[in-house]
Coordinates of all heavy atoms in Angstrom, one line a residue:
M1 N -2.5 193.2 4.7 CA -2.8 193.0 3.4 C -2.3 194.2 2.6 O -2.2 195.3 3.1 CB -4.3 192.8 3.2 CG -4.8 191.5 3.8 SD -6.5 191.2 3.5 CE -7.2 191.8 5.0
R2 N -2.0 194.0 1.3 CA -1.5 195.0 0.5 C -2.6 195.6 -0.4 O -3.4 195.0 -0.9 CB -0.4 194.5 -0.4 CG 0.8 194.1 0.3 CD 1.9 193.6 -0.6 NE 2.6 192.4 -0.1 CZ 3.3 191.7 -0.7 NH1 3.6 191.9 -2.0 NH2 3.9 190.6 -0.2
L3 N -2.3 196.9 -0.7 CA -3.2 197.7 -1.6 C -2.4 198.7 -2.3 O -1.5 199.3 -1.7 CB -4.3 198.4 -0.7 CG -5.2 199.4 -1.4 CD1 -6.2 198.7 -2.3 CD2 -5.9 200.2 -0.3
D4 N -2.6 198.9 -3.6 CA -1.8 199.9 -4.3 C -2.7 200.9 -4.9 O -3.7 200.6 -5.6 CB -1.0 199.2 -5.4 CG 0.1 198.3 -4.9 OD1 0.6 198.6 -3.8 OD2 0.4 197.3 -5.5
F5 N -2.4 202.2 -4.8 CA -3.0 203.2 -5.5 C -2.3 203.4 -6.8 O -1.0 203.4 -6.8 CB -3.0 204.6 -4.8 CG -3.8 204.6 -3.5 CD1 -3.4 205.5 -2.5 CD2 -4.8 203.7 -3.2 CE1 -4.2 205.6 -1.3 CE2 -5.5 203.8 -2.0 CZ -5.2 204.7 -1.1
V6 N -3.0 203.5 -7.9 CA -2.3 203.5 -9.2 C -2.8 204.7 -10.0 O -4.0 205.0 -10.1 CB -2.6 202.2 -10.1 CG1 -1.9 202.3 -11.4 CG2 -2.2 201.0 -9.3
T7 N -1.9 205.5 -10.7 CA -2.3 206.6 -11.5 C -2.8 206.2 -12.8 O -2.5 205.0 -13.3 CB -1.1 207.6 -11.7 OG1 -0.1 206.9 -12.4 CG2 -0.6 208.1 -10.4
D8 N -3.4 207.1 -13.6 CA -3.7 206.8 -15.0 C -2.4 206.8 -15.7 O -1.3 207.3 -15.3 CB -4.5 208.0 -15.6 CG -6.0 208.0 -15.1 OD1 -6.4 206.9 -14.7 OD2 -6.6 209.1 -15.0
E9 N -2.4 206.2 -16.9 CA -1.2 206.1 -17.8 C -0.7 207.5 -18.1 O -1.4 208.4 -18.4 CB -1.6 205.3 -19.0 CG -0.4 204.7 -19.7 CD -0.8 203.8 -20.8 OE1 -1.3 204.2 -21.9 OE2 -0.6 202.5 -20.6
R10 N 0.6 207.6 -18.1 CA 1.3 208.9 -18.4 C 2.3 208.7 -19.4 O 2.7 207.6 -19.7 CB 1.9 209.5 -17.1 CG 0.9 209.7 -16.1 CD 1.5 210.0 -14.7 NE 0.5 210.1 -13.7 CZ 0.4 211.2 -12.9 NH1 1.3 212.2 -12.9 NH2 -0.5 211.3 -12.0
G11 N 2.9 209.8 -19.9 CA 3.9 209.7 -20.9 C 3.3 209.6 -22.3 O 2.1 209.7 -22.5
S12 N 4.1 209.4 -23.3 CA 3.7 209.3 -24.7 C 4.5 208.3 -25.4 O 5.6 207.9 -25.0 CB 3.8 210.6 -25.3 OG 5.1 211.1 -25.4
G13 N 4.0 207.8 -26.5 CA 4.7 206.8 -27.3 C 5.1 205.5 -26.5 O 4.3 205.0 -25.9
T14 N 6.3 205.2 -26.7 CA 6.8 203.9 -26.0 C 7.2 204.3 -24.5 O 7.5 203.3 -23.8 CB 8.0 203.3 -26.7 OG1 9.0 204.3 -26.7 CG2 7.7 202.9 -28.1
E15 N 7.1 205.5 -24.1 CA 7.4 205.9 -22.8 C 6.2 206.0 -21.8 O 6.3 206.7 -20.8 CB 8.2 207.2 -22.8 CG 9.5 207.2 -23.5 CD 10.5 206.3 -22.9 OE1 10.6 206.2 -21.6 OE2 11.2 205.5 -23.6
K16 N 5.2 205.2 -22.1 CA 4.0 205.3 -21.2 C 4.2 204.5 -20.0 O 4.9 203.4 -20.0 CB 2.8 204.7 -22.0 CG 2.3 205.7 -23.1 CD 1.0 205.2 -23.7 CE 0.6 206.2 -24.7 NZ -0.7 205.9 -25.3
Y17 N 3.7 205.0 -18.9 CA 3.9 204.3 -17.6 C 2.8 204.7 -16.6 O 2.1 205.6 -16.9 CB 5.3 204.7 -17.0 CG 5.4 206.1 -16.7 CD1 5.1 206.6 -15.4 CD2 5.8 207.0 -17.6 CE1 5.2 207.9 -15.1 CE2 6.0 208.4 -17.3 CZ 5.7 208.8 -16.1 OH 5.7 210.2 -15.8
R18 N 2.7 204.0 -15.5 CA 1.8 204.3 -14.4 C 2.7 204.5 -13.1 O 3.7 203.8 -13.0 CB 0.8 203.2 -14.2 CG -0.2 203.1 -15.4 CD -1.1 201.9 -15.1 NE -1.9 201.6 -16.3 CZ -3.1 202.2 -16.6 NH1 -3.6 203.1 -15.8 NH2 -3.8 201.9 -17.7
N19 N 2.2 205.3 -12.2 CA 2.8 205.4 -10.9 C 2.0 204.6 -9.9 O 0.8 204.5 -10.0 CB 3.0 206.8 -10.5 CG 4.1 207.5 -11.2 OD1 5.1 206.9 -11.6 ND2 3.9 208.8 -11.5
V20 N 2.7 204.1 -8.9 CA 2.0 203.3 -7.8 C 2.4 203.9 -6.5 O 3.6 204.2 -6.2 CB 2.5 201.8 -7.9 CG1 2.0 201.0 -6.7 CG2 2.1 201.2 -9.2
M21 N 1.4 204.0 -5.6 CA 1.7 204.3 -4.2 C 1.4 203.0 -3.4 O 0.2 202.7 -3.2 CB 0.9 205.5 -3.7 CG 1.3 205.8 -2.2 SD 0.3 207.2 -1.5 CE 1.1 208.5 -2.4
P22 N 2.4 202.3 -2.8 CA 2.2 201.1 -2.1 C 1.6 201.4 -0.7 O 2.0 202.3 -0.1 CB 3.5 200.5 -2.0 CG 4.6 201.5 -2.4 CD 3.8 202.6 -3.0
N23 N 0.6 200.6 -0.4 CA -0.1 200.8 0.9 C -0.3 199.4 1.6 O -0.1 198.4 1.0 CB -1.6 201.3 0.6 CG -1.6 202.5 -0.2 OD1 -1.5 203.6 0.3 ND2 -1.8 202.4 -1.5
I24 N -0.8 199.5 2.8 CA -1.2 198.3 3.5 C -2.6 198.6 4.1 O -2.9 199.8 4.3 CB -0.3 197.8 4.6 CG1 0.0 198.9 5.6 CG2 1.0 197.3 4.0 CD1 0.8 198.4 6.8
F25 N -3.4 197.6 4.3 CA -4.7 197.8 5.0 C -5.0 196.6 5.9 O -4.5 195.5 5.8 CB -5.8 198.0 3.9 CG -6.2 196.8 3.2 CD1 -7.3 196.1 3.6 CD2 -5.5 196.4 2.1 CE1 -7.8 195.0 2.9 CE2 -5.9 195.2 1.4 CZ -7.1 194.5 1.8
K26 N -5.9 196.9 6.8 CA -6.5 195.8 7.7 C -7.9 196.2 8.0 O -8.4 197.4 7.9 CB -5.6 195.7 8.9 CG -5.7 196.9 9.9 CD -4.9 196.7 11.1 CE -5.0 197.9 12.1 NZ -4.2 197.7 13.3
F27 N -8.6 195.2 8.5 CA -10.0 195.4 9.0 C -9.8 195.4 10.5 O -9.2 194.5 11.1 CB -10.9 194.4 8.5 CG -11.2 194.5 7.1 CD1 -10.6 193.6 6.2 CD2 -12.1 195.4 6.5 CE1 -10.8 193.7 4.8 CE2 -12.3 195.6 5.2 CZ -11.6 194.7 4.3
D28 N -10.4 196.4 11.2 CA -10.4 196.5 12.7 C -11.9 196.5 13.1 O -12.5 197.6 13.1 CB -9.7 197.7 13.1 CG -9.5 197.8 14.6 OD1 -9.9 196.8 15.3 OD2 -9.0 198.8 15.1
G29 N -12.5 195.4 13.3 CA -13.9 195.3 13.6 C -14.7 195.8 12.4 O -14.5 195.2 11.3
D30 N -15.5 196.8 12.5 CA -16.3 197.3 11.3 C -15.6 198.4 10.6 O -16.2 199.1 9.8 CB -17.7 197.7 11.8 CG -17.7 198.8 12.8 OD1 -16.6 199.2 13.3 OD2 -18.7 199.4 13.0
K31 N -14.3 198.6 10.9 CA -13.5 199.7 10.3 C -12.5 199.2 9.3 O -12.0 198.1 9.5 CB -12.8 200.6 11.3 CG -13.7 201.2 12.3 CD -13.0 201.9 13.4 CE -13.9 202.3 14.5 NZ -13.3 202.0 15.8
L32 N -12.2 200.0 8.3 CA -11.2 199.7 7.3 C -10.0 200.7 7.6 O -10.3 201.9 7.7 CB -11.6 199.9 5.9 CG -10.6 199.8 4.8 CD1 -9.9 198.5 4.7 CD2 -11.2 200.2 3.4
V33 N -8.8 200.2 7.9 CA -7.7 201.0 8.2 C -6.7 200.9 7.1 O -6.2 199.8 6.7 CB -7.0 200.6 9.6 CG1 -5.9 201.5 9.9 CG2 -8.1 200.6 10.6
I34 N -6.3 202.0 6.5 CA -5.3 202.1 5.4 C -4.1 202.9 5.8 O -4.3 204.0 6.4 CB -5.9 202.7 4.1 CG1 -7.1 201.9 3.7 CG2 -4.9 202.8 3.0 CD1 -7.9 202.5 2.5
A35 N -2.9 202.4 5.6 CA -1.7 203.1 5.8 C -0.9 203.3 4.5 O -0.7 202.4 3.8 CB -0.8 202.4 6.8
Y36 N -0.5 204.6 4.3 CA 0.3 204.8 3.1 C 1.2 206.0 3.3 O 1.1 206.8 4.2 CB -0.6 205.1 1.8 CG -1.6 206.3 2.0 CD1 -1.2 207.6 1.6 CD2 -2.9 206.1 2.5 CE1 -2.1 208.7 1.7 CE2 -3.8 207.2 2.6 CZ -3.4 208.4 2.2 OH -4.3 209.5 2.4
G37 N 2.3 205.9 2.6 CA 3.4 207.0 2.7 C 3.1 208.1 1.7 O 2.0 208.3 1.3
K38 N 4.1 208.8 1.3 CA 4.0 209.9 0.4 C 4.8 209.7 -0.9 O 4.9 210.7 -1.7 CB 4.3 211.2 1.1 CG 5.6 211.2 1.8 CD 5.8 212.5 2.6 CE 7.0 212.3 3.6 NZ 7.1 213.3 4.5
T39 N 5.3 208.5 -1.1 CA 6.1 208.3 -2.3 C 5.4 207.5 -3.3 O 4.9 206.4 -3.1 CB 7.4 207.5 -1.8 OG1 8.0 208.3 -0.8 CG2 8.4 207.4 -2.9
W40 N 5.4 208.0 -4.5 CA 5.0 207.3 -5.7 C 6.2 206.7 -6.4 O 7.2 207.3 -6.5 CB 4.3 208.3 -6.7 CG 3.0 208.8 -6.2 CD1 2.8 209.9 -5.4 CD2 1.7 208.2 -6.4 NE1 1.5 210.1 -5.2 CE2 0.7 209.0 -5.8 CE3 1.2 207.1 -7.1 CZ2 -0.6 208.8 -5.8 CZ3 -0.1 206.8 -7.1 CH2 -1.0 207.7 -6.5
V41 N 6.0 205.5 -6.9 CA 7.1 204.8 -7.6 C 6.5 204.3 -9.0 O 5.3 204.2 -9.2 CB 7.7 203.6 -6.9 CG1 8.3 204.0 -5.6 CG2 6.6 202.6 -6.5
K42 N 7.4 204.2 -9.9 CA 7.0 203.7 -11.3 C 6.6 202.3 -11.2 O 7.2 201.4 -10.6 CB 8.2 203.9 -12.2 CG 7.8 203.9 -13.7 CD 8.9 204.1 -14.6 CE 8.7 205.3 -15.4 NZ 9.8 205.5 -16.4
Q43 N 5.4 202.0 -11.8 CA 4.9 200.6 -11.8 C 5.8 199.7 -12.6 O 6.3 200.1 -13.7 CB 3.4 200.6 -12.4 CG 2.8 199.3 -12.3 CD 1.4 199.3 -12.9 OE1 1.2 199.9 -14.0 NE2 0.4 198.6 -12.3
R44 N 6.0 198.5 -12.2 CA 6.8 197.5 -12.9 C 6.2 196.1 -12.5 O 5.6 196.0 -11.5 CB 8.2 197.7 -12.6 CG 8.6 197.4 -11.2 CD 10.1 197.6 -10.9 NE 10.5 197.1 -9.7 CZ 10.4 197.6 -8.5 NH1 9.7 198.8 -8.4 NH2 10.8 197.0 -7.4
V45 N 6.7 195.2 -13.2 CA 6.4 193.8 -12.9 C 7.3 193.4 -11.8 O 8.5 193.5 -11.9 CB 6.5 192.8 -14.1 CG1 6.3 191.4 -13.7 CG2 5.6 193.3 -15.2
L46 N 6.7 192.9 -10.7 CA 7.5 192.5 -9.5 C 7.9 191.0 -9.6 O 7.1 190.2 -10.0 CB 6.8 192.8 -8.2 CG 6.4 194.2 -8.0 CD1 5.5 194.3 -6.7 CD2 7.6 195.1 -7.8
K47 N 9.1 190.7 -9.2 CA 9.6 189.3 -9.1 C 8.9 188.7 -7.9 O 8.4 189.3 -7.0 CB 11.1 189.3 -9.1 CG 11.8 189.9 -10.3 CD 13.3 189.9 -10.1 CE 13.9 190.6 -11.3 NZ 15.3 190.8 -11.1
D48 N 9.0 187.4 -7.8 CA 8.5 186.6 -6.7 C 9.1 187.1 -5.4 O 10.3 187.3 -5.3 CB 8.9 185.1 -6.9 CG 8.2 184.2 -5.9 OD1 7.0 184.5 -5.6 OD2 8.8 183.2 -5.5
K49 N 8.3 187.4 -4.5 CA 8.6 187.9 -3.1 C 9.2 189.3 -3.1 O 9.8 189.8 -2.2 CB 9.5 186.9 -2.4 CG 8.8 185.6 -2.2 CD 9.6 184.7 -1.3 CE 8.9 183.4 -1.1 NZ 9.5 182.5 -0.2
E50 N 9.2 190.0 -4.3 CA 9.7 191.4 -4.4 C 8.5 192.3 -4.1 O 7.3 192.0 -4.2 CB 10.2 191.7 -5.8 CG 10.8 193.1 -5.9 CD 11.2 193.3 -7.4 OE1 10.8 192.6 -8.3 OE2 12.0 194.2 -7.5
D51 N 8.8 193.5 -3.5 CA 7.8 194.5 -3.3 C 8.2 195.9 -3.6 O 9.4 196.1 -3.8 CB 7.4 194.4 -1.8 CG 6.0 195.0 -1.5 OD1 5.4 195.5 -2.4 OD2 5.6 195.0 -0.3
Y52 N 7.3 196.8 -3.8 CA 7.7 198.2 -4.1 C 8.4 198.8 -2.9 O 8.0 198.5 -1.7 CB 6.4 199.0 -4.4 CG 5.9 198.7 -5.8 CD1 4.6 198.1 -5.9 CD2 6.6 199.0 -6.9 CE1 4.1 197.8 -7.1 CE2 6.0 198.7 -8.2 CZ 4.8 198.1 -8.3 OH 4.3 197.9 -9.5
E53 N 9.3 199.7 -3.1 CA 9.9 200.5 -2.1 C 8.9 201.4 -1.5 O 8.0 201.9 -2.1 CB 11.0 201.4 -2.7 CG 12.2 200.6 -3.3 CD 13.1 201.6 -4.0 OE1 13.1 202.7 -3.7 OE2 13.8 201.0 -4.9
G54 N 9.0 201.6 -0.2 CA 8.1 202.5 0.5 C 6.8 202.0 1.0 O 6.0 202.7 1.6
R55 N 6.6 200.7 0.9 CA 5.4 200.1 1.4 C 5.5 200.1 2.9 O 6.5 199.7 3.5 CB 5.1 198.7 0.9 CG 3.8 198.1 1.4 CD 3.4 196.8 0.9 NE 3.5 196.6 -0.6 CZ 2.5 197.0 -1.4 NH1 1.5 197.6 -1.0 NH2 2.7 196.8 -2.7
P56 N 4.5 200.7 3.6 CA 4.5 200.7 5.1 C 4.5 199.2 5.6 O 4.1 198.3 5.0 CB 3.1 201.3 5.4 CG 2.7 202.1 4.2 CD 3.3 201.3 3.1
T57 N 5.1 199.2 6.8 CA 5.2 197.9 7.5 C 4.4 197.8 8.8 O 4.3 196.8 9.4 CB 6.7 197.6 7.9 OG1 7.2 198.6 8.7 CG2 7.5 197.4 6.6
G58 N 3.8 199.0 9.1 CA 2.9 199.0 10.3 C 1.9 200.1 10.2 O 1.9 200.9 9.2
F59 N 1.0 200.2 11.2 CA 0.0 201.2 11.2 C 0.2 202.3 12.2 O -0.8 202.9 12.6 CB -1.4 200.4 11.5 CG -1.7 199.5 10.3 CD1 -1.4 198.2 10.4 CD2 -2.5 200.0 9.2 CE1 -1.7 197.3 9.3 CE2 -2.8 199.1 8.2 CZ -2.4 197.8 8.3
K60 N 1.4 202.6 12.5 CA 1.7 203.8 13.4 C 2.4 204.9 12.6 O 3.4 204.6 12.0 CB 2.5 203.3 14.5 CG 2.8 204.4 15.6 CD 3.4 203.9 16.8 CE 3.6 205.0 17.7 NZ 4.0 204.6 19.1
S61 N 1.8 206.1 12.7 CA 2.4 207.2 12.0 C 3.3 207.9 12.9 O 2.9 208.3 14.1 CB 1.3 208.2 11.5 OG 1.8 209.3 10.9
T62 N 4.5 208.2 12.5 CA 5.5 209.0 13.3 C 6.0 210.2 12.4 O 5.8 210.1 11.2 CB 6.6 208.1 13.8 OG1 7.4 207.7 12.6 CG2 6.2 206.9 14.6
K63 N 6.7 211.1 13.0 CA 7.3 212.2 12.3 C 8.3 211.6 11.3 O 8.5 212.1 10.2 CB 7.9 213.1 13.3 CG 8.5 214.4 12.6 CD 9.1 215.2 13.7 CE 8.4 216.6 13.8 NZ 9.1 217.5 14.7
E64 N 9.0 210.5 11.7 CA 10.1 210.0 10.9 C 9.6 209.2 9.7 O 10.1 209.4 8.6 CB 11.0 209.0 11.7 CG 11.8 209.7 12.8 CD 11.0 210.1 14.0 OE1 10.0 209.4 14.3 OE2 11.4 211.1 14.6
N65 N 8.5 208.4 9.8 CA 8.0 207.6 8.7 C 7.1 208.4 7.8 O 6.8 208.0 6.7 CB 7.5 206.3 9.1 CG 6.2 206.3 9.9 OD1 5.4 207.3 9.9 ND2 5.9 205.2 10.6
G66 N 6.4 209.4 8.3 CA 5.6 210.2 7.5 C 4.3 209.5 7.0 O 3.7 210.0 6.0
L67 N 3.9 208.5 7.6 CA 2.7 207.7 7.1 C 1.4 208.5 7.3 O 1.3 209.2 8.3 CB 2.6 206.4 7.8 CG 3.6 205.3 7.5 CD1 3.3 204.1 8.3 CD2 3.7 205.0 6.0
T68 N 0.5 208.3 6.4 CA -0.9 208.7 6.6 C -1.7 207.5 7.0 O -1.6 206.5 6.3 CB -1.4 209.4 5.4 OG1 -0.6 210.6 5.1 CG2 -2.9 209.8 5.6
I69 N -2.5 207.6 8.0 CA -3.4 206.5 8.4 C -4.8 207.0 8.3 O -5.2 208.0 8.8 CB -3.2 206.1 9.9 CG1 -1.7 205.9 10.2 CG2 -4.0 204.9 10.3 CD1 -1.0 204.7 9.4
E70 N -5.6 206.2 7.5 CA -7.0 206.6 7.3 C -7.9 205.5 7.8 O -7.6 204.3 7.6 CB -7.3 206.7 5.8 CG -6.5 207.9 5.2 CD -7.3 208.6 4.0 OE1 -8.5 208.3 3.8 OE2 -6.6 209.3 3.3
I71 N -8.9 205.9 8.6 CA -9.8 204.9 9.2 C -11.2 205.2 8.6 O -11.7 206.3 8.8 CB -9.8 205.0 10.7 CG1 -8.4 204.8 11.3 CG2 -10.8 204.1 11.3 CD1 -8.2 205.1 12.7
M72 N -11.8 204.2 8.0 CA -13.1 204.4 7.4 C -14.1 203.4 8.0 O -13.7 202.3 8.3 CB -13.0 204.1 5.9 CG -12.0 205.0 5.2 SD -11.8 204.5 3.5 CE -10.3 205.4 3.1
K73 N -15.3 203.9 8.2 CA -16.4 203.2 8.7 C -17.6 203.3 7.9 O -17.9 204.4 7.4 CB -16.7 203.6 10.2 CG -17.7 202.8 10.9 CD -17.8 203.2 12.3 CE -18.9 202.4 13.0 NZ -19.2 202.7 14.3
S74 N -18.3 202.3 7.7 CA -19.6 202.3 6.9 C -20.6 203.3 7.5 O -20.7 203.3 8.7 CB -20.2 200.9 6.8 OG -21.4 201.0 6.1
C75 N -21.2 204.0 6.6 CA -22.2 205.0 7.1 C -23.6 204.5 6.9 O -24.6 205.1 7.2 CB -22.1 206.3 6.4 SG -22.4 206.3 4.7
N76 N -23.8 203.2 6.3 CA -25.0 202.6 6.1 C -25.9 203.4 5.2 O -27.2 203.2 5.1 CB -25.7 202.3 7.4 CG -25.0 201.4 8.3 OD1 -24.4 200.4 7.8 ND2 -25.0 201.6 9.6
L77 N -25.4 204.3 4.4 CA -26.2 205.1 3.5 C -26.9 204.3 2.4 O -28.1 204.5 2.1 CB -25.3 206.1 2.7 CG -26.0 207.0 1.7 CD1 -27.0 207.9 2.3 CD2 -24.9 207.8 0.9
F78 N -26.3 203.2 2.0 CA -26.9 202.4 0.9 C -27.6 201.2 1.5 O -28.1 200.4 0.7 CB -25.8 201.9 -0.1 CG -25.2 203.1 -0.8 CD1 -23.9 203.5 -0.5 CD2 -25.9 203.9 -1.7 CE1 -23.4 204.6 -1.1 CE2 -25.4 205.0 -2.3 CZ -24.1 205.4 -2.0
D79 N -27.7 201.0 2.8 CA -28.4 199.9 3.4 C -29.9 200.3 3.7 O -30.5 199.6 4.5 CB -27.8 199.5 4.7 CG -26.4 198.8 4.4 OD1 -26.2 198.4 3.3 OD2 -25.6 198.8 5.3
Q80 N -30.4 201.3 3.1 CA -31.8 201.8 3.4 C -32.7 201.1 2.5 O -32.4 200.7 1.4 CB -31.9 203.3 3.2 CG -31.0 204.0 4.1 CD -31.0 205.5 3.8 OE1 -31.9 206.0 3.1 NE2 -30.1 206.2 4.4
D81 N -33.9 200.8 2.9 CA -35.0 200.2 2.1 C -35.7 201.3 1.2 O -35.8 202.4 1.5 CB -36.1 199.6 3.0 CG -35.5 198.3 3.7 OD1 -34.6 197.8 3.1 OD2 -36.0 198.0 4.8

């Protein structure tokens, strides 16, 4: 599944824009796994079946692809009575 990190609006006047860091994510049991690179791209309207450059295609980090993999698990902090 896809997930995008988006910056606040930048620039001024008619030159306002947002940056996007394309990501992918999956659920692995009770964990949320997110993979993202280090490249921000300018946000734009994507055409049908088009995607942002730099979106990861897998969940393995190597020296060559430079991906960051984050694994998150619920801590049940808010499930208390």
